[in-house]
DNA sequence: ATGGCCACCCGAGGTGGA
């Protein structure tokens, strides 16, 4: 089972790129973030996939697209921590529980920062109230908008005191992992790998990136993980315009 | 030589992203 997570920065602007990923990377389940549109205006990506969409006009929005032959048992669009913004969609597929997240960016200790902290607290409540991460097959993926450790930013000195790398938000990330999640990329390698490059300043050509997108998995899922793929070339392509985020694919042994 | 922000709103330029 191959699962994609990808902050598309508008699904309407990126539908061909997503379609190609579905086809060439044989994706079974796609967790998309920042679709930036409503369900009515969500484009047809591929006829053999069904998309469960939690959208809104102009901003945010998440969608989980699943191969038509895969049966989806349950869908929950939204949770209390969103506070009116579309940032959460949960799907249950057999024994698998998939949480697709677009976390708030926040600001420098203003209202949006407190919103981000509340969002993380609510997310942990959702997980701890619904799952046992030592027994259940849980995959939490998406754009978490936090660079967890110094290795996850291209220049830790430059990023000190900046949003996505503030001590308080990194502690929120620690607490999420503390529930029993394993950060699959960091588990599989100690190399520095980024999933976001700013459009400005040629960041992707200079290697000036951040790791903001993650696969966090429960303990039993770790044993079922075959590998993780980071599609930097998709970010580096020029035409059509890429997203500023990098797609990630994890392959799981199905059960 | 190369590349130097993009997409949304809508029909201009302001705003949010990170």
């Amino acid at each position: 089972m191959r699962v994609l997570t990808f902050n598309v920065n508008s699904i309407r602007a990126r539908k061909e790129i997503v379609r190609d990923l579905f086809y060439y990377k044989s994706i079974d389940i796609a967790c998309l973030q920042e679709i930036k549109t409503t369900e009515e205006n969500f484009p047809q990506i591929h006829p053999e996939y069904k998309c469960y969409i939690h959208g809104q006009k102009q901003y945010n929005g998440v969608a989980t697209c699943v191969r038509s032959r895969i049966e989806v048992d349950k869908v929950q669009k939204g949770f209390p921590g969103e506070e009116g913004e579309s940032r959460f969609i949960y799907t249950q597929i057999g024994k698998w529980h998939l949480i697709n997240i677009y976390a708030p960016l926040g600001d420098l200790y203003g209202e949006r920062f407190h919103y981000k902290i509340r969002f993380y607290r609510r997310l942990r409540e959702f997980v701890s109230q619904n799952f046992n991460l030592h027994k259940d097959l849980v995959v939490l993926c998406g754009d978490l908008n936090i660079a967890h450790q110094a290795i996850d930013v291209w220049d830790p000195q430059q990023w000190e005191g900046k949003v996505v790398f503030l001590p308080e938000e990194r502690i929120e990330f620690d607490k999420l992992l503390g529930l029993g999640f394993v950060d699959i990329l960091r588990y599989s390698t100690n190399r520095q790998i980024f999933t976001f490059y700013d459009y400005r300043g040629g960041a992707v050509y200079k290697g000036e990136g951040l790791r903001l997108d993650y696969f966090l998995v429960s303990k039993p899922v770790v044993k079922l993980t075959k590998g993780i793929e980071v599609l930097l070339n998709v970010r580096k392509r020029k035409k059509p315009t890429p997203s500023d985020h990098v797609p990630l694919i994890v392959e799981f042994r199905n059960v």
Side-chain angles (χ1 to χ4, degrees), chain A residues 142-153:
Chain A
D143 177 0
L144 298 182
N145 262 325
I146 297 173
H148 181 214
Q149 295 168 319
I151 195 175
D152 299 317
V153 300

Side-chain angles (χ1 to χ4, degrees), chain A residues 51-214:
Chain A
C51 293
Y52 300 87
I53 300 153
H54 183 41
Q56 69 181 83
K57 189 177 177 179
Q58 191 168 3
Y59 300 117
N60 313 315
V62 287
T64 299
C65 302
V66 181
R67 261 195 223 278
S68 305
R69 63 172 163 80
I70 299 176
E71 194 175 328
V72 175
D73 300 292
K74 198 175 167 188
V75 179
Q76 183 185 327
K77 300 179 181 184
F79 82 125
E82 294 183 321
E83 302 182 22
E85 302 179 8
S86 297
R87 298 180 173 279
F88 171 103
I89 187 165
Y90 159 76
T91 47
Q92 186 195 337
I93 296 165
K95 294 178 184 170
W96 294 84
H97 304 277
L98 279 141
I99 304 165
N100 176 4
I101 294 293
Y102 175 50
L105 172 61
D107 60 10
L108 212 48
Y109 304 121
E111 174 52 37
R112 296 296 294 174
F113 175 79
H114 298 293
Y115 170 52
K116 187 175 193 174
I117 301 296
R118 284 198 301 277
F119 181 92
Y120 267 89
R121 187 182 309 138
R122 291 284 204 166
L123 179 58
R124 291 196 302 273
E125 282 170 10
F126 175 83
V127 171
S128 56
Q129 286 169 9
N130 289 283
F131 310 112
N132 179 342
L133 295 184
H134 297 274
K135 290 181 180 170
D136 299 324
L137 303 184
V138 183
V139 176
L140 188 161
C141 66
D143 177 0
L144 298 182
N145 262 325
I146 297 173
H148 181 214
Q149 295 168 319
I151 195 175
D152 299 317
V153 300
W154 62 275
D155 183 350
Q157 289 189 349
Q158 174 153 336
W159 278 88
E160 198 179 333
K162 297 210 172 126
V163 173
V164 309
F165 196 56
L166 298 171
E168 294 86 347
E169 41 186 336
R170 294 169 60 195
I171 287 168
E172 292 299 311
F173 199 106
D174 287 332
K175 289 181 187 168
L176 187 58
L177 291 179
L179 299 180
F181 280 119
V182 173
D183 173 356
I184 274 294
L185 185 127
R186 190 51 69 225
Y187 181 82
S188 61
T189 181
N190 287 321
R191 283 185 302 139
Q192 184 171 59
I193 291 173
F194 300 133
T195 69
F196 167 86
Y197 296 89
D198 199 295
Y199 283 122
R200 292 166 294 187
V204 74
Y205 308 108
K206 299 187 215 161
E208 298 181 348
L210 305 169
R211 190 165 74 108
L212 303 178
D213 304 82
Y214 297 84

